[in-house]
């Protein structure tokens, strides 16, 4: 009798249902409506306690739902089945459609090693029960349309239902349940709709469903349908809706090889474009770029890691794809390492950098593995993992390989830069990625300069505390000796040394000073060479990141700190070259700047340079005096204090009688008071110092002529802007 209770014990599992009347069972179903909606479709991670009915009835065993096994053989599916849960005997009613779903889930997750056990939980009868339930496929095919018809996506439980539906589609796709074409299209539309949902959990569930749905139901579609299918996702990569961009990138990442093999020339460039920061600030979305990076890497793995593309002979089209990965994908990932986007959540660009570092490692493996037997690199022998080669030059045949020294330098330098920046998680990940690259047991990444030094800095040991600043910085700062990595490492190191976090600043600064001090080196010339290399690298950083306050401000603070430690002041002729480069950069960076920390650091540096005995001190003093007429009173006061100290320390700048008069003007003027008075006092100091003021007066008359006002007008900002403009600021 279908309405009667059922009690059947098979393979130690108990299905209990005969202790309730029909009315009681109906009441139980109604009272557990919330449980049916929120629990029955969710069979993912939680554990359920089941009571064994054999010899171990008194012991409760806990199993993952993934290992759930119920025998359905010789069992007519009733309206509900009650599975007894827990020692307390809580009974949860299951509708027949849910029982079918549990069955399909069991087919998917069953461990293969169970098959063949004599006394194991798997038996022929259990499989026969599964086969019997396949006759219920027409009911399975109608579940999702019924849910959508009932509009169960609405309300508070709508998001739970969407995730559950995606999970359900995934299960029936794995089971290859026969579906009519109309239902297939309906399910695909459901997946696409969930891919556009702003909830990341719903998107991830839809991606998992699409991963199994494509090979199960779209394997035999024609090329035109596949083109339309992929084109839709590619168009959504530039959709104004950020959720659509996120979901489409993830959807492309799980497409099968058959879909991508003939269309990589469209897919890879589009994903590379999606990894870049959007031009319109309103369209920028870090999660979309993260998904684009992950999708790009996944597509590259699919195209190069499948059986269809793993044979030793690589055709012309295959080599074109590999060279695209080398020239375009790798460069795209290098650019992603420079994603420092910030919003109200903080440094969201770190998510992109994290994904890019993992992607660089994967692409490096692809290029090294394919390049070791590619038709263009057949003469190149890849080094074994036991060979540790310190390469300082490029081999002759590198231009014909998929991975050369230039790529290796960019790879190690870009990741090493992340290993010395301010976020602990990023530093730890960067060190581990470098560790995996250096000690890959399956292949050796060739052409890495200073490999022995890198292996000394990054040993092959597990559980090293790379996220601890006092451990990581003393190691990675040694890369400043390697000319090919030093600039990249320094551009990340200044972020920490000149940053705001005290503990991080102390650890990174101490590591840098210990490196420069070179107390363990007997050769004093090497200590000087380290300062020389560091000075040239700092000038490179200032030039490379011109007008980029994220790097320039901490770089200027780092220079100020090093000047205070007497670094760079005793390099003979290089000191003059270094200070001249600094003045050129300061003339650009401080012009029209409104950032107080940048202005303070620049004024302090000008004070140190003006205190030198070289001829460049006059130029530094001229720049410093210009700030005595700045629009901000605090900046005028700070520059006056620096000028006062400079005149006291460097007696060679002015004659003794002029020094006293200049000090008197600086000390008696209220620089935080009237701006017009400050300008007049500044011009007097220029006269005393013998500096040219004709340009300032000429510019002032031009302002009067062009603006219809005299030089003593009230437009302080306009007149001052012309003054500093004529001075080169």
């Amino acid at each position: 009798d279908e309405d009667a209770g059922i009690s059947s014990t098979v393979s130690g599992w108990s299905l209990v249902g005969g202790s309730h009347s029909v009315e009681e069972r109906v009441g139980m179903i109604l009272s557990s409506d919330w449980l049916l909606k929120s629990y029955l479709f969710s069979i993912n991670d939680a554990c359920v306690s089941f009571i064994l009915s054999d010899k171990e009835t008194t012991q409760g065993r806990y199993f993952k739902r993934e290992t759930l096994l119920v025998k359905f053989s010789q069992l007519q599916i009733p309206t509900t089945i009650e599975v007894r849960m827990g020692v307390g005997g809580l009974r949860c009613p299951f509708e027949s459609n849910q029982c079918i779903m549990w069955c399909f889930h069991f087919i998917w997750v069953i461990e293969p090693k169970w098959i063949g056990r004599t006394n194991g939980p798997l038996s022929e009868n259990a499989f026969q029960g599964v086969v019997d339930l396949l006759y219920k496929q027409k009911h399975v095919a109608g579940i999702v349309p019924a849910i959508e018809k009932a509009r169960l996506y609405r309300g508070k439980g709508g998001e739970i239902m969407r995730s559950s539906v995606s999970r359900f589609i995934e299960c029936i796709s794995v089971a290859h349940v026969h579906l009519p074409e109309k239902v297939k299209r309906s399910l695909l539309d459901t997946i696409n709709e969930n891919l556009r949902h702003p909830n990341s959990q719903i998107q991830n569930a839809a991606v998992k469903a699409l991963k199994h749905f494509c090979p199960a139901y779209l394997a035999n579609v024609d090329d035109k349908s596949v083109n339309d299918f992929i084109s839709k996702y590619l168009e959504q990569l530039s959709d104004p809706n950020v959720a659509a961009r996120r979901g489409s990138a993830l959807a492309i990442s799980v497409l099968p090889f058959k879909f991508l093999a003939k269309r990589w020339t469209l897919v890879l460039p589009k994903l590379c474009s999606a990894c870049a920061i959007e031009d319109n600030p309103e369209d920028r979305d870090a999660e979309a770029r993260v998904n684009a990076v992950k999708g790009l890497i996944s597509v590259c793995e699919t195209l190069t890691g499948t059986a269809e593309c793993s044979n030793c002979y690589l055709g012309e089209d295959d080599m074109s794809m590999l060279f695209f990965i080398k020239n375009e994908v790798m460069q795209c990932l290098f650019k992603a390492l420079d994603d420092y986007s910030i919003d109200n959540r903080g440094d969201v660009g770190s998510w992109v950098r994290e994904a890019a570092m993992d992607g660089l490692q994967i692409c490096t493996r692809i290029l090294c593995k394919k390049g070791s037997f590619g038709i263009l690199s057949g003469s190149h022998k890849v080094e074994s993992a036991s060979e540790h080669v310190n390469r300082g030059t490029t081999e002759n045949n590198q231009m014909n390989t998929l991975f050369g020294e230039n790529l290796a330098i960019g790879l190690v330098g870009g990741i090493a830069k992340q290993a010395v920046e301010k976020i602990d998680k990023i530093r730890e990940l960067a060190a581990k990625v470098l560790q995996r690259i250096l000690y890959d047991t399956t292949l050796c990444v060739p052409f890495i300069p200073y490999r022995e030094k890198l292996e000394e800095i990054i040993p092959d040991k597990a559980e090293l505390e790379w996220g601890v600043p006092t451990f990581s910085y003393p190691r990675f700062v040694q890369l400043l000796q390697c000319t090919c990595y030093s600039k990249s490492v320094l551009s990340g190191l200044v972020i920490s040394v000149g940053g705001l976090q005290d503990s991080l600043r102390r650890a990174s600064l101490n590591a840098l000073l210990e490196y420069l001090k070179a107390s363990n080196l007997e050769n004093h010339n090497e200590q000087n060479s380290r300062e020389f290399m560091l000075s040239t690298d700092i000038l490179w950083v200032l030039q490379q990141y011109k007008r980029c306050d994220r790097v320039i401000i901490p770089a200027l603070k780092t220079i100020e700190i090093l000047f205070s430690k007497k670094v760079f002041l005793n390099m003979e002729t290089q000191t003059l070259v270094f200070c001249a480069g600094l003045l050129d950069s300061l003339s650009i960076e401080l012009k029209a700047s409104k950032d107080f920390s940048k202005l303070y650091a620049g004024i302090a540096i000008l004070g140190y340079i003006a205190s030198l005995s070289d001829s460049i001190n006059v130029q530094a003093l001229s720049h410093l005096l210009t700030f005595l007429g700045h629009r901000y009173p605090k900046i005028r006061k700070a520059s006056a204090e620096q000028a006062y100290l400079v005149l006291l320390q460097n007696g060679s700048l002015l004659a003794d009688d002029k020094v006293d008069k200049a000090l008197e003007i600086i000390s008696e003027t209220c620089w935080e008071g009237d701006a017009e008075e400050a300008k007049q006092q500044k011009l007097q100091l220029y006269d005393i110092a013998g500096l040219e003021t004709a340009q300032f007066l000429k510019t002032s008359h031009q302002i009067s002529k062009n603006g219809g006002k005299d030089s003593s007008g009230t437009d302080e900002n306009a007149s001052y802007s012309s003054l500093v403009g004529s001075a080169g600021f």
Side-chain angles (χ1 to χ4, degrees), residues 386-420:
S386 61
E387 294 177 341
H388 303 306
V389 182
N390 184 359
R391 296 182 176 272
T393 60
T394 306
E395 293 192 1
N396 295 330
N397 64 341
Q398 278 194 68
M399 294 302 295
N400 292 330
T401 62
L402 292 173
F403 192 87
E405 184 176 6
N406 291 335
L407 207 56
I409 291 173
L411 173 70
V412 177
I415 299 177
K417 174 187 174 183
Q418 302 299 319
V420 293

Side-chain angles (χ1 to χ4, degrees), residues 274-522:
C275 296
I277 299 177
E278 296 81 357
D279 295 332
N280 187 356
E282 296 180 358
D283 293 338
R284 292 174 184 173
D285 183 69
E287 290 91 338
R289 297 196 298 276
V290 170
N291 291 352
V293 171
K294 292 180 178 179
L296 179 62
I297 301 307
S298 180
V299 169
C300 290
E301 286 186 293
T302 302
L303 290 170
T304 59
T306 55
E308 295 93 328
C309 194
S310 61
N311 42 0
C312 293
Y313 178 77
L314 296 177
E316 182 178 353
D317 189 60
D318 296 326
M319 291 305 300
S320 298
M321 177 186 64
L322 293 174
F323 275 110
F324 185 90
I325 294 176
K326 172 189 175 182
N327 298 324
E328 301 297 334
V329 175
M330 291 290 284
Q331 296 304 317
C332 172
L333 295 177
F334 287 145
K335 291 180 181 178
L337 285 181
D338 285 329
D339 191 330
Y340 290 90
S341 303
I342 297 176
D343 62 13
N344 56 359
R345 296 170 292 181
D347 186 6
V348 293
S350 63
W351 307 338
V352 184
R353 303 198 300 274
E354 185 177 350
M357 283 190 285
D358 289 331
L360 284 170
Q361 180 201 356
I362 294 172
C363 287
T364 298
R365 284 184 53 84
I366 291 173
L367 294 176
C368 292
K369 182 178 179 181
K370 297 297 180 180
S372 63
F373 51 76
I375 58 175
L376 296 181
S377 56
S379 61
H380 171 62
K381 179 180 178 182
V382 178
E383 301 163 321
S384 63
S386 61
E387 294 177 341
H388 303 306
V389 182
N390 184 359
R391 296 182 176 272
T393 60
T394 306
E395 293 192 1
N396 295 330
N397 64 341
Q398 278 194 68
M399 294 302 295
N400 292 330
T401 62
L402 292 173
F403 192 87
E405 184 176 6
N406 291 335
L407 207 56
I409 291 173
L411 173 70
V412 177
I415 299 177
K417 174 187 174 183
Q418 302 299 319
V420 293
E421 290 201 351
K422 59 185 178 181
I423 301 180
D424 295 345
K425 180 181 178 182
I426 296 297
R427 292 201 309 274
E428 183 175 7
L429 175 63
K432 290 181 178 179
V433 169
L434 285 175
Q435 195 176 49
R436 291 196 294 266
I437 291 174
L438 292 173
Y439 301 102
D440 195 324
T441 57
T442 58
L443 56 86
C444 181
V445 179
F447 308 124
I448 296 181
Y450 300 98
R451 190 183 189 101
E452 290 181 353
K453 185 67 176 179
L454 286 168
E455 291 175 349
E456 178 184 344
I457 295 172
I458 310 171
D460 188 15
K461 297 180 180 179
E463 299 180 357
L464 294 177
E465 297 178 337
W466 295 110
V468 179
T470 54
F471 175 81
S472 60
Y473 281 106
R475 290 178 175 271
F476 280 102
V477 79
Q478 301 300 320
L479 289 178
L480 293 175
Q481 303 175 64
C482 307
T483 55
C484 55
Y485 306 135
S486 59
K487 294 179 176 61
S488 298
V489 172
L490 184 61
S491 63
L493 184 62
V494 295
I495 304 296
S496 301
V497 177
L500 300 176
Q501 189 175 347
D502 289 338
S503 60
L504 190 66
R505 182 175 64 248
R506 286 195 299 268
S508 56
L509 178 60
N510 290 337
L512 180 59
L513 293 177
E514 286 296 325
Y515 164 77
L516 293 174
K517 188 183 300 182
S519 57
N520 59 333
L521 297 176
E522 298 179 358

Side-chain angles (χ1 to χ4, degrees), residues 584-618:
D584 291 340
S585 295
L586 289 175
S587 65
I588 297 173
E589 299 299 336
L590 301 184
K591 181 179 180 180
S593 176
K594 298 180 181 179
D595 191 290
F596 273 64
S597 58
K598 187 177 185 179
L599 292 169
Y600 281 140
I603 290 171
I605 293 173
L606 289 174
Y608 281 113
I609 298 176
S611 300
L612 298 176
S613 58
D614 295 316
S615 59
I616 200 172
N617 55 15
V618 177

Side-chain angles (χ1 to χ4, degrees), residues 15-46:
L15 294 177
V16 182
S19 58
H20 294 278
S21 65
V22 174
E23 291 77 12
E24 290 175 334
R25 291 169 61 186
V26 171
M28 185 178 296
I29 294 173
L30 296 176
S31 63
S32 302
D33 181 67
W34 64 271
L35 193 58
L36 287 173
K37 289 184 178 180
S38 62
Y39 172 76
L40 294 181
F41 283 102
S42 178
I43 51 175
N44 294 320
D45 299 325

Side-chain angles (χ1 to χ4, degrees), residues 680-700:
Q680 297 299 326
Q681 298 298 330
K682 180 191 71 172
L683 294 177
Q684 290 187 30
L685 289 174
Y686 263 86
D687 291 335
I688 294 173
L691 300 175
E692 183 65 37
T693 59
Q695 292 181 349
F696 293 94
L697 296 176
K698 181 179 179 181
T699 305
S700 178

